[in-house]
Amino acid sequence: MKMPLTITGAAAAVAAATSAFAAQLGATYSNVVPTTDTVMFTGVSLADVKSVSAWVTGDSMGTAGKSAPATAYHYSNDGSTLTVQFQVYLGDYTKGVVLQLTQDGDDIKGKAFARYFNDQYHNHEGSDMSSGWSNGSYKIRDVTLSDEDDSFLRTKLYWNGANGDTWDGTAANWLTESGDATAWVPGARAVFTNATAMTVNVAASGITASHFTMKGWPVTFTGGTIAMTGASEVIMRSGLARFECPLAGANGFRVANCVYQYALPAHTLIAAASQVLFENATLAGVSNLVSTASGDSVGWDSTPQQSYFLENDGSTLTAQMQWYGGGYTKCVFLELT
């Protein structure tokens, strides 16, 4: 399935979200960070640094040789040494680079080393890369220091509202990771684990988020503008995120289609023998199909499929239902009469 994200609302331009790295403490280090200490910044104090941004680049990035924006995790800074882990999920792997900066007189020296984790189900992004990860060949570049705290980009909040509730900055319809009710934190990571399909109304004034993680049933977002910030992405792990409202990112955003983790649907076509699928229906006019794969080697339980090479003469329809998972493109041939 190429793009499980459906945007049915207006494609109007929206105001750019406030950058988490707007206040820079000196020029960006635009070169690739080496594995041995080198001077990266001059006349800058680590004690003033509150956050760091960077792009991951190098071999096996799965982005046609281009760099990818990365999320910063496990940030620490005691004024003399700063460490941070930049991670990104690409091609069934979580890939990352650890950056270490040290104060050297009036300058800042830095070095970096890469790690990766075979992460088919996107479970490990954000975990500590200090153990259990393999050595990688990735690098980071375009490192920028800021005096703005970006911890909100790593704050996870879990939707706790009812169907049709409004997502704004005042209603306490979110839960923290410890289960405490809270209002939305602008720029946080929104996680949806809803047990039924629902609609969420975005406040007319709009909201800002860094990530969507869809772990529940499909959610339709309506209303005001959603502005994505940071190294943002929409991760769909069960069902669709349907945006019937303006959605935009100041730095763009990535759509990651991961696999379902919930029970198989009630109606599952598993046999080669013909059986009645739809009553009182006609094939005439059918030009596209979507379905859900299930069975061995699919992934975790099931995953969406999209039709390719569809042919339909009104009496017989054939199509190839294809999807990508676990490093393979997979297909089921379907015939309807």
Side-chain angles (χ1 to χ4, degrees):
M1 189 170 186
K2 290 183 177 179
M3 183 68 69
L5 170 66
T6 2
I7 301 178
T8 56
V14 298
T18 301
S19 171
F21 311 110
Q24 298 182 11
L25 299 172
T28 297
Y29 184 82
S30 57
N31 296 323
V32 171
V33 178
T35 57
T36 56
D37 275 323
T38 189
V39 174
M40 294 176 57
F41 303 94
T42 58
V44 181
S45 172
L46 268 182
D48 295 329
V49 177
K50 300 295 188 297
S51 60
V52 185
S53 67
W55 288 62
V56 178
T57 188
D59 298 334
S60 303
M61 287 305 298
T63 55
K66 298 180 180 179
S67 302
T71 300
Y73 295 96
H74 305 285
Y75 175 93
S76 67
N77 181 9
D78 63 7
S80 60
T81 302
L82 182 155
T83 58
V84 61
Q85 300 180 17
F86 291 102
Q87 298 183 20
V88 62
Y89 179 81
L90 290 168
D92 286 342
Y93 291 86
T94 294
K95 306 171 182 181
V97 177
V98 178
L99 173 68
Q100 178 178 294
L101 302 177
T102 55
Q103 192 75 53
D104 184 31
D106 294 332
D107 302 331
I108 294 177
K109 287 185 175 181
K111 61 183 177 181
F113 58 92
R115 296 282 188 267
Y116 72 88
F117 199 101
N118 190 338
D119 191 14
Q120 181 178 353
Y121 304 118
H122 205 158
N123 290 328
H124 288 84
E125 184 183 351
S127 63
D128 190 354
M129 290 166 32
S130 61
S131 62
W133 294 56
S134 303
N135 291 330
S137 57
Y138 327 113
K139 302 173 177 63
I140 54 171
R141 62 177 305 128
D142 301 324
V143 176
T144 303
L145 307 182
S146 172
D147 62 2
E148 294 187 6
D149 185 355
D150 72 343
S151 58
F152 61 90
L153 292 174
R154 300 184 294 280
T155 299
K156 279 187 180 180
L157 297 180
Y158 295 78
W159 176 251
N160 195 40
N163 184 35
D165 275 3
T166 297
W167 179 0
D168 57 20
T170 59
N173 46 18
W174 293 88
L175 297 177
T176 64
E177 293 192 79
S178 58
D180 299 322
T182 182
W184 176 248
V185 176
R189 304 165 72 92
V191 183
F192 291 85
T193 59
N194 46 299
T196 60
M198 65 166 48
T199 297
V200 172
N201 179 53
V202 178
S205 56
I207 58 93
T208 300
S210 57
H211 289 66
F212 283 77
T213 302
M214 314 305 297
K215 291 186 176 182
W217 291 89
V219 180
T220 300
F221 298 93
T222 62
T225 295
I226 298 175
M228 305 292 284
T229 190
S232 52
E233 62 183 356
V234 180
I235 308 167
M236 276 162 284
R237 297 186 58 178
S238 60
L240 300 177
R242 299 185 176 97
F243 294 95
E244 296 181 353
C245 60
L247 173 73
N251 302 312
F253 56 91
R254 178 175 179 271
V255 176
N257 176 31
C258 297
V259 298
Y260 284 72
Q261 298 188 56
Y262 294 90
L264 294 176
H267 303 289
T268 303
L269 179 62
I270 58 175
S274 297
Q275 56 181 284
V276 175
L277 301 182
F278 307 98
E279 295 182 348
N280 299 316
T282 177
L283 284 175
V286 176
S287 60
N288 181 60
L289 298 172
V290 292
S291 58
T292 301
S294 65
D296 296 337
S297 302
V298 166
W300 254 3
D301 292 351
S302 57
T303 193
Q305 300 169 309
Q306 174 66 51
S307 60
Y308 295 89
F309 305 102
L310 188 147
E311 296 182 4
N312 182 9
D313 63 7
S315 60
T316 300
L317 180 153
T318 58
Q320 299 180 24
M321 308 304 297
Q322 298 185 16
W323 74 101
Y324 176 84
Y328 295 87
T329 296
K330 306 173 183 180
C331 176
V332 173
F333 290 86
L334 176 67
E335 179 182 277
L336 302 178
T337 56

